[in-house]
Amino acid sequence: MIQRIQTIYLLLATLFSGGLIFFLNLWVTEEGNKYFATDSFNTDSMLLKLITLLFLVSSLITLIAVFQYKKRQLQFVLGRLSILINFILLGVLVYFAQNLSGEMEVSEKGIGLLIPILTILLVVMANKAIKKDEELVKSVDRLR
């Protein structure tokens, strides 16, 4: 399990989407306060709460995909689902990073906005490796 490269990619994606949200800020407000994904629970906005929820769901799905190494097709589908969730998350983050007509003033974007992009890249590389393994198994089965 751990010796396969897709496991490393999926574990890194899990670490990025589930762990770095506590350490990397998403944006800085005009008052100079850093906004982390976990700060969304202190607000009344459902879209801000959705950000943290999507980060955690993405992390959970990639972690589940790590342990599905005997079921490569399910692992591949979970990877695609994680990619879809991260694209939705990226859209919500871009929406809130823009200056919204007086609702929220974002003066500076944080490095945390790149987390979904890095997660997508890692899961895509993991899916390529999973597909390569599946094709190898199918080619060996043809020879038997």
Side-chain angles (χ1 to χ4, degrees), residues 15-101:
L15 176 71
F16 281 177
S17 63
L20 290 182
I21 62 171
F22 299 108
F23 302 111
L24 299 178
N25 64 323
L26 297 176
W27 54 74
V28 179
T29 61
E30 285 185 336
E31 295 86 31
N33 299 331
K34 291 184 177 182
Y35 188 86
F36 295 91
T38 54
D39 294 336
S40 65
F41 291 121
N42 299 333
T43 64
D44 294 332
S45 174
M46 282 304 288
L47 278 177
L48 284 175
K49 289 181 183 180
L50 183 68
I51 291 173
T52 305
L53 181 69
L54 287 174
F55 270 123
L56 295 177
V57 167
S58 169
S59 176
L60 181 67
I61 287 175
T62 53
L63 185 64
I64 290 171
V66 168
F67 296 107
Q68 299 299 321
Y69 56 91
K70 290 186 180 180
K71 303 173 188 172
R72 285 177 297 280
Q73 291 293 352
L74 178 61
Q75 196 176 31
F76 189 78
V77 169
L78 288 174
R80 285 196 173 185
L81 182 63
S82 176
I83 291 170
L84 178 67
I85 289 171
N86 278 296
F87 271 123
I88 293 169
L89 176 62
L90 189 61
V92 172
L93 285 173
V94 167
Y95 175 75
F96 272 105
Q98 302 301 318
N99 191 359
L100 302 176
S101 66

Side-chain angles (χ1 to χ4, degrees), residues 74-133:
L74 178 61
Q75 196 176 31
F76 189 78
V77 169
L78 288 174
R80 285 196 173 185
L81 182 63
S82 176
I83 291 170
L84 178 67
I85 289 171
N86 278 296
F87 271 123
I88 293 169
L89 176 62
L90 189 61
V92 172
L93 285 173
V94 167
Y95 175 75
F96 272 105
Q98 302 301 318
N99 191 359
L100 302 176
S101 66
E103 287 182 29
M104 181 174 171
E105 301 293 328
V106 177
S107 66
E108 183 180 316
K109 277 78 173 170
I111 190 86
L113 293 176
L114 296 176
I115 293 173
I117 296 170
L118 294 175
T119 303
I120 289 169
L121 289 175
L122 287 169
V123 174
V124 164
M125 290 190 304
N127 275 355
K128 276 187 172 182
I130 292 167
K131 189 174 180 182
K132 188 175 176 182
D133 276 358

Side-chain angles (χ1 to χ4, degrees), residues 6-15 62 65-66 75 123 126 130:
Q6 59 263 33
T7 304
I8 302 297
Y9 291 146
L10 289 171
L11 284 175
L12 283 173
T14 301
L15 176 71
T62 53
V66 168
Q75 196 176 31
V123 174
I130 292 167

